Amino acid sequence: MFLFLLSIAIGLIFYHFKTQYSRRGRILNKLPGPPCLPLIGNLHLFMNSSTKIWNTVRQINKKFYPVSRIWVLHHSVVYLSHPDDAECLLSSMKHIEKSRLYEFLHPWLKTGLLTSAGKKWQHRRKMLTPAFHFNVLHQFLDIFVEQGNNLVENLKSLGDETVQELVPLFTKYTLNTICETAMGTVLHEADIQNSYRSALNKLVELMLYRAFRPWLHNKWIFRLFSDGEKYDKYLSVLHNFSSKIIKERKEYHEKTENKYLKSIIATDSDLIYSNDEIKGQKKRMAMLDHLIAAQKFGQQIDDEGIREEVDTFIFEGHDTTAMAMCFAVLMLAENKDVQDRARKEVDDVLEGKNRKISSAEVQNFNYLEQCIRETLRLYPSVPFIARKVNEDLQLKHCFVPAGTIVDLHIFDLHRNPEFWPNPEKFDPDRFLPEKMLNRHPFSYVPFSGGPRNCIGQRFAMLELKTLVAHLLHNFILEPIDHSRDIKFSVDLVIRPATPIRVKFTPRIK
């Protein structure tokens, strides 16, 4: 027994010295950061609730700005929140691999566009980029308008005024929108939508809980616990949801003898609009159609590849937009002068248009776009980006050795007082053209930046402008909960841990 314990002790000592006194360890330990404990590093700081973890990370960023380092067992992480360092990281094609945290997404998203790297990521990005061409997006504007009208009618049906919690309210409509536009599928069954949203939230919560507990990293050990069984159950709900969407879309193309898929391949263009109707719905060529065409005529992707991209885009295309909607509406509710100005712009643009929004009208919502951009500065839908550095990386403020994880904290980057005077203030005029001219290009990256920027950023902005314009045109917004009181949880997207409620009062016209 003594020899056994001695061998364990020697092994742990060797592990500690190999981690902390290797080349990587010696370089990183010169950087500022919280004190490390033997063996576990800073793991103890993250054995807390998701809200406390959020606050801990922000405190580290503030105390050790502009760069800091932490250790989680043998994993080293460098935190960044300065635009110069952001530019070095994001503009490079060498450092596009996501961090180990994203591996916990693989059972769900596999290696789709969000989680893949190297040649696979480049191939998928090239395959999917045409589906988000500007001209294609405008074909979907009537869907955005329809969802905006549905949102308005739903709120009006609740009475002269109604107080709503924004997250569940907006998530419903952004999920409908991404499924109908990018997937070509109309969601009719509320129970299916609700089960998907519930399973998604619970699965991500379990994933992050597991990520901060190393003894649960092994999938076989994780499955021995009740949380592992729950995770598999939620995963099944999400995969069944996407599989149903793919199945229905493939059946549509079989009924039309693949003529629209052939058009995609023949013309290499997404500017295809079918007036054929199935169940009363006009069918547009969506992102999913490109994947099916690539499989059927080019053998470029298999069934699993299609599903991993569908899972990725359903998640990314609705949850991030819903969070942006929540905070945009809250900011407008809290800032009445801004709300009035944005509403006047919408009213003036829509005057004589019978409240019908087309692409021309959306392009003229300039001040509304400034409001949304300022919202995304204060509350970026994706508050951090994590990359694995496989080669040495020289940043402006430090040298990062290969094998290190680099976390860019966009939330703090966007509130950096060196680049954003009075950073906590909501001021849409920051995004006047003349004020943007000399601004650091990487001081504002709500959609990431460089070669791995968000493929759907124009889609998101078009949807946000359309939905928010509908609300401004039809309601007066008043805050019930305030931004100063919001607590946040660590999540894949910015996630309020407390309710965000706004009162909607119909306008008298």
Side-chain angles (χ1 to χ4, degrees):
M1 178 61 72
F2 172 77
L3 291 176
F4 175 72
L5 294 175
L6 180 63
S7 63
I8 291 178
I10 293 173
L12 291 175
I13 292 171
F14 176 77
Y15 168 85
H16 174 75
F17 274 84
K18 183 179 180 182
T19 299
Q20 297 294 320
Y21 295 96
S22 63
R23 173 180 179 267
R24 176 165 56 100
R26 292 194 307 272
I27 293 172
L28 292 177
N29 283 332
K30 294 178 182 178
L31 298 179
C36 295
L37 296 177
L39 301 177
I40 67 170
N42 302 113
L43 179 62
H44 60 291
L45 299 178
F46 302 94
M47 302 293 291
N48 280 308
S49 68
S50 59
T51 299
K52 289 183 177 179
I53 293 172
W54 172 276
N55 293 333
T56 296
V57 171
R58 292 212 65 205
Q59 289 166 6
I60 292 173
N61 281 334
K62 183 177 181 180
K63 183 176 181 179
F64 300 106
Y65 173 82
V67 297
S68 57
R69 63 95 191 99
I70 64 166
W71 288 92
V72 179
L73 300 180
H74 62 284
H75 299 291
S76 53
V77 185
V78 171
Y79 288 168
L80 310 177
S81 56
H82 192 284
D84 289 341
D85 296 322
E87 183 172 15
C88 294
L89 177 68
L90 297 180
S91 60
S92 171
M93 274 296 293
K94 293 182 179 179
H95 308 293
I96 63 171
E97 182 179 342
K98 297 298 181 74
S99 80
R100 189 171 184 270
L101 173 65
Y102 291 83
E103 292 178 12
F104 295 102
L105 289 171
H106 286 178
W108 171 29
L109 304 179
K110 307 298 181 183
T111 50
L113 198 62
L114 175 65
T115 51
S116 59
K119 291 183 178 179
K120 180 174 182 178
W121 173 80
Q122 293 178 21
H123 173 69
R124 293 284 175 86
R125 177 82 181 208
K126 183 178 180 181
M127 182 191 301
L128 290 166
T129 293
F132 291 88
H133 188 278
F134 188 75
N135 291 333
V136 180
L137 298 183
H138 278 278
Q139 294 183 10
F140 297 129
L141 187 62
D142 59 333
I143 295 175
F144 298 154
V145 171
E146 180 183 358
Q147 291 300 327
N149 288 331
N150 291 342
L151 173 59
V152 168
E153 293 306 314
N154 178 33
L155 289 171
K156 286 184 175 180
S157 71
L158 299 175
D160 291 339
E161 59 181 42
T162 178
V163 173
Q164 291 290 310
E165 187 176 346
L166 300 185
V167 174
L169 174 68
F170 293 146
T171 299
K172 172 184 176 181
Y173 293 96
T174 57
L175 180 58
N176 289 344
T177 299
I178 193 66
C179 287
E180 190 168 355
T181 54
M183 307 301 154
T185 299
V186 180
L187 298 180
H188 294 293
E189 301 174 43
D191 289 345
I192 293 177
Q193 299 175 46
N194 293 336
S195 64
Y196 175 85
R197 292 196 296 269
S198 175
L200 170 62
N201 292 335
K202 291 174 180 176
L203 181 135
V204 171
E205 183 180 329
L206 284 175
M207 185 208 80
L208 292 168
Y209 177 86
R210 179 188 179 195
F212 290 113
R213 288 156 179 81
W215 57 89
L216 297 177
H217 286 186
N218 182 281
K219 66 179 181 179
W220 302 112
I221 294 176
F222 182 55
R223 285 175 176 169
L224 296 176
F225 293 84
S226 60
D227 283 345
E229 294 180 6
K230 293 176 184 175
Y231 183 93
D232 287 341
K233 182 181 73 173
Y234 301 141
L235 185 64
S236 178
V237 172
L238 299 182
H239 280 167
N240 288 340
F241 183 85
S242 56
S243 295
K244 182 175 183 293
I245 287 174
I246 296 167
K247 179 175 179 290
E248 289 179 353
R249 196 60 177 171
K250 283 188 172 182
E251 288 175 351
Y252 162 72
H253 287 298
E254 288 174 3
K255 290 177 182 178
T256 57
E257 299 181 345
N258 298 315
K259 61 181 178 180
Y260 302 117
L261 296 182
K262 293 174 183 176
S263 299
I264 291 176
I265 298 301
T267 63
D268 192 29
S269 168
D270 278 324
L271 308 182
I272 302 167
Y273 187 90
S274 166
N275 287 319
D276 287 25
E277 294 191 5
I278 292 182
K279 298 179 182 178
Q281 295 292 327
K282 291 181 178 180
K283 296 295 177 180
R284 303 156 184 82
M285 297 297 99
M287 180 270 284
L288 176 54
D289 298 308
H290 277 262
L291 295 173
I292 296 172
Q295 179 188 44
K296 196 163 191 69
F297 300 109
Q299 291 80 48
Q300 300 178 60
I301 191 170
D302 56 16
D303 284 340
E304 181 175 297
I306 291 176
R307 193 178 73 176
E308 63 190 14
E309 297 301 349
V310 168
D311 281 324
T312 296
F313 276 90
I314 293 176
F315 162 60
E316 286 202 299
H318 93 277
D319 218 11
T320 54
T321 311
M323 292 304 111
M325 276 285 293
C326 291
F327 288 104
V329 169
L330 178 62
M331 290 296 96
L332 290 167
E334 285 189 343
N335 297 273
K336 189 175 183 305
D337 56 334
V338 175
Q339 180 185 159
D340 291 342
R341 182 177 168 187
R343 179 180 294 107
K344 185 178 186 307
E345 176 186 70
V346 172
D347 289 348
D348 289 347
V349 169
L350 296 184
E351 185 178 3
K353 301 291 184 180
N354 195 28
R355 297 188 298 173
K356 176 67 174 177
I357 297 177
S358 68
S359 58
E361 280 71 56
V362 174
Q363 294 307 306
N364 288 323
F365 293 152
N366 297 315
Y367 185 68
L368 177 57
E369 182 168 330
Q370 289 175 217
C371 295
I372 294 171
R373 292 188 181 279
E374 174 68 346
T375 298
L376 291 173
R377 181 188 70 82
L378 285 168
Y379 304 102
S381 293
V382 179
F384 76 95
I385 294 171
R387 300 278 176 87
K388 183 180 179 183
V389 174
N390 292 314
E391 299 181 23
D392 290 348
L393 171 62
Q394 181 64 58
L395 300 173
K396 172 71 178 294
H397 294 98
C398 71
F399 176 81
V400 179
T404 305
I405 295 168
V406 178
D407 282 6
L408 174 63
H409 290 269
I410 299 174
F411 191 92
D412 288 312
L413 175 79
H414 285 183
R415 294 167 183 249
N416 189 326
E418 293 183 41
F419 301 90
W420 302 98
N422 196 6
E424 303 293 329
K425 180 182 179 182
F426 180 75
D427 180 11
D429 284 342
R430 297 181 199 269
F431 290 91
L432 287 168
E434 60 269 22
K435 290 190 177 182
M436 296 170 60
L437 282 176
N438 298 316
R439 185 173 294 151
H440 195 301
F442 285 82
S443 64
Y444 180 73
V445 287
F447 298 103
S448 187
R452 196 150 191 169
N453 66 352
C454 175
I455 194 173
Q457 57 185 287
R458 289 189 295 192
F459 177 101
M461 186 58 70
L462 190 64
E463 180 181 1
L464 287 167
K465 289 168 71 174
T466 306
L467 292 178
V468 176
H470 275 83
L471 292 176
L472 287 172
H473 194 57
N474 288 278
F475 298 96
I476 303 297
L477 312 174
E478 298 177 57
I480 301 299
D481 302 298
H482 293 269
S483 56
R484 62 177 179 269
D485 300 320
I486 294 176
K487 299 182 186 303
F488 292 95
S489 297
V490 169
D491 203 303
L492 299 177
V493 301
I494 193 166
R495 184 78 62 188
T498 49
I500 301 177
R501 295 170 299 172
V502 163
K503 182 166 74 173
F504 297 85
T505 303
R507 296 175 65 193
I508 301 174
K509 299 178 183 179

